[in-house]
Amino acid sequence: MLNSMLENRYKVLKLLHQGENNQIFKALDTSTSGKVALKIELSENHNLILHEIQVLTDLYDLIGFPRILSQGKHKGRYYIILNYLGKSLQNKFLSLNCKFTLSCVLRLAEEFFYRIESLHKAGYIHKDLRPENVATGYGLNWQSLFLVGFTYSNKYIENNNGRHVQCFITKTLSSNVNFSSVNVMNKINPSRRDDIESIIYILIYFYCGVLPWISNGKMTEVEIKKTKESIVLEPLCKNYPFEFISCLRYVRGLEYDQEPDYEMLRSCFKDMALKNKILRVYDWALSNEKMISRARLDRSKTPSCKKTTLRQMRRTLARESRKSLGKGSENKVMEFKAKEETYDGKFGDSKDSKDNEENKDMISRMDTVISDEYPEIKNRDQIIKLRNDFLQIWIKECILTSKRRS
């Protein structure tokens, strides 16, 4: 599959994830030179991709969900081309020593409940929420969360009458044992409340670094279910913040077809941040700011500095002369330096304005650096705008904090 070309446009570069039924590759859109994601089925007999295409088509206009760029068949297997996203929360979690700070978890909680509310309002439930199925944004969208992995998602509203589907016992077991709800483990068909319960398990997992049933890898499904049922009771709940357990108790008290109070859930974690005077930010915010500061900019539309340009030109000429002439050619290198001085004079005091313009254009073109590593960052204005947006948010949080103290 690697190095294959799809639709004479998308070149497959790297395997990113190997799932049970599909593979996800990093690919290059040769028409735009941008990165895209390719998701393709493992077998010709599967048609789960077709189901996911239907779900993502219905979610196309919503924030925080992948967008389909193209779809088709390759050697009998269905595939979809999606916009490129960042790392999953599981990868972020592992890279940060398997634990997020409380400020990060509270920020994630807010984003989680916004995303799941949008999904539920569109008439779908996810059914497979886990850290691997939540991705961060790519490039300048690094602050956004994206829900992915809609292979098992389905509608909870009947198309013919608009009513909620009836509760029934299913014969299939969930493959997501660690983060599935107690009702799902009891083989009750999932509804909106079960997505919320999975989110709370994920938040506890990120904050504590582990869940009781994950730390003991030898637990059976029956033992895991009993541990989940007792997590809201003493003495287990004393190890977790009260707000987590309070939300868990609320969700388990919902009826099968009852709509969760998303605003109440968000407010619970927001009040927790205010009470503890916590600024809700991601733990990986600093690393992304450093990435932006180190990014090489496309300066083709910005005025060039003459002194810097000449210095770069001298270094380039000297480097090229050493490569082409070899050792013992110092005299010829001096000739290059003499030519550079004549260029310097032309740029400074020459009366021939036409030569000046041609030389300046030449310097501007030589000074143009187009970044392949960070194609989202086009010029300095975007960096300044990003910095100003961050400062405005920080100032508002400081004002709110000072008002609370007074």
Side-chain angles (χ1 to χ4, degrees):
M1 192 69 194
L2 293 178
N3 297 320
S4 299
M5 185 71 76
L6 303 181
E7 303 177 20
N8 293 322
R9 177 174 178 176
Y10 302 106
K11 184 178 181 181
V12 182
L13 301 178
K14 179 183 178 182
L15 177 64
L16 297 177
H17 176 72
Q18 177 77 50
E20 296 178 3
N21 304 308
N22 55 66
Q23 293 174 312
I24 300 177
F25 292 89
K26 175 182 176 181
L28 176 69
D29 185 348
T30 55
S31 64
T32 64
S33 299
K35 298 177 184 178
V36 294
L38 164 68
K39 188 171 186 178
I40 187 168
E41 292 180 336
L42 287 175
S43 172
E44 298 180 17
N45 301 324
H46 294 160
N47 57 359
L48 295 173
I49 288 286
L50 294 179
H51 172 71
E52 190 161 1
I53 288 173
Q54 180 60 52
V55 176
L56 291 176
T57 300
D58 292 342
L59 303 175
Y60 185 82
D61 294 328
L62 300 180
I63 298 173
F65 299 92
R67 292 195 172 185
I68 298 176
L69 305 178
S70 183
Q71 56 183 293
K73 241 182 177 184
H74 177 73
K75 295 182 179 179
R77 297 182 293 166
Y78 289 102
Y79 70 85
I80 48 176
I81 304 293
L82 305 167
N83 60 312
Y84 195 77
L85 300 177
K87 294 181 178 180
S88 70
L89 288 186
Q90 179 65 12
N91 286 336
K92 293 281 189 184
F93 182 71
L94 295 175
S95 66
L96 292 170
N97 298 321
C98 297
K99 193 170 184 180
F100 289 156
T101 62
L102 183 57
S103 63
C104 179
V105 173
L106 295 178
R107 175 65 187 274
L108 289 173
E110 183 180 32
E111 292 290 323
F112 264 126
F113 291 125
Y114 273 122
R115 296 295 171 269
I116 204 64
E117 181 180 11
S118 298
L119 181 65
H120 290 171
K121 296 288 185 185
Y124 285 95
I125 53 175
H126 193 284
K127 294 177 63 176
D128 193 25
L129 285 170
R130 61 179 85 190
E132 292 87 351
N133 282 338
V134 186
T136 57
Y138 179 70
L140 294 179
N141 290 324
W142 64 271
Q143 295 192 74
S144 301
L145 286 188
F146 290 79
L147 296 185
V148 299
F150 296 93
T151 304
Y152 303 107
S153 299
N154 64 271
K155 286 191 172 184
Y156 63 90
I157 299 293
E158 295 179 351
N159 292 327
N160 53 354
N161 55 22
R163 295 179 181 176
H164 198 289
V165 296
Q166 296 296 314
C167 180
F168 61 90
I169 302 298
T170 180
K171 296 180 180 179
T172 58
L173 291 173
S174 172
S175 60
N176 185 16
V177 176
N178 288 329
F179 299 98
S180 60
S181 68
V182 173
N183 288 323
V184 169
M185 297 195 73
N186 285 326
K187 298 184 180 181
I188 298 175
N189 191 48
S191 66
R192 290 172 288 185
R193 62 182 182 179
D194 301 295
D195 278 348
I196 303 296
E197 186 170 339
S198 293
I199 288 175
I200 296 172
Y201 289 144
I202 293 172
L203 295 174
I204 294 175
Y205 171 70
F206 284 151
Y207 177 67
C208 298
V210 72
L211 290 169
W213 48 91
I214 294 180
S215 60
N216 186 352
K218 298 180 180 180
M219 294 181 79
T220 64
E221 287 192 17
V222 175
E223 291 172 332
I224 291 175
K225 187 181 71 172
K226 288 182 179 180
T227 307
K228 286 182 178 180
E229 289 172 343
S230 61
I231 196 173
V232 296
L233 306 173
E234 293 290 350
L236 282 176
C237 66
K238 68 180 181 181
N239 297 322
Y240 309 108
F242 169 76
E243 287 79 3
F244 291 92
I245 304 303
S246 176
C247 290
L248 192 57
R249 285 172 176 163
Y250 162 74
V251 171
R252 289 187 181 175
L254 294 175
E255 298 295 330
Y256 177 77
D257 59 351
Q258 187 176 351
E259 180 181 13
D261 190 340
Y262 306 99
E263 184 59 36
M264 184 275 291
L265 292 166
R266 285 192 293 268
S267 297
C268 181
F269 291 99
K270 185 177 180 181
D271 293 342
M272 182 180 179
L274 292 173
K275 181 177 69 175
N276 294 282
K277 300 177 182 179
I278 296 173
L279 183 63
R280 293 170 293 170
V281 293
Y282 295 128
D283 288 345
W284 53 90
L286 271 179
S287 60
N288 279 273
E289 288 176 6
K290 289 179 181 178
M291 178 199 75
I292 292 171
S293 67
R294 289 198 301 262
R296 292 172 293 170
L297 306 180
D298 178 5
R299 297 182 289 175
S300 57
K301 296 183 180 180
T302 59
S304 57
C305 175
K306 186 171 70 174
K307 291 183 179 178
T308 304
T309 300
L310 290 173
R311 191 181 303 115
Q312 290 177 346
M313 182 177 172
R314 290 190 182 101
R315 290 175 181 172
T316 303
L317 290 170
R319 195 182 302 115
E320 290 178 354
S321 65
R322 292 191 192 98
K323 288 181 180 178
S324 61
L325 300 177
K327 297 181 180 180
S329 303
E330 296 180 359
N331 293 333
K332 293 186 178 181
V333 173
M334 292 300 294
E335 290 178 10
F336 276 103
K337 291 185 177 180
K339 289 181 180 179
E340 293 162 19
E341 291 174 2
T342 60
Y343 279 123
D344 199 357
K346 281 186 180 181
F347 299 147
D349 302 324
S350 175
K351 295 179 182 179
D352 192 343
S353 59
K354 189 175 290 187
D355 287 346
N356 270 338
E357 292 301 321
E358 290 178 358
N359 288 322
K360 286 180 180 178
D361 288 342
M362 180 183 69
I363 290 299
S364 179
R365 287 193 296 273
M366 291 181 66
D367 191 43
T368 299
V369 181
I370 299 177
S371 170
D372 293 329
E373 189 176 357
Y374 304 104
E376 307 81 8
I377 303 172
K378 299 299 182 183
N379 51 46
R380 294 189 183 94
D381 293 338
Q382 288 178 312
I383 300 297
I384 294 171
K385 183 179 181 301
L386 186 67
R387 186 184 303 158
N388 289 339
D389 291 343
F390 172 78
L391 289 174
Q392 288 176 5
I393 295 172
W394 181 73
I395 290 170
K396 287 180 182 179
E397 292 286 349
C398 290
I399 292 173
L400 287 173
T401 302
S402 62
K403 286 183 179 179
R404 295 281 188 274
R405 290 176 179 176
S406 60

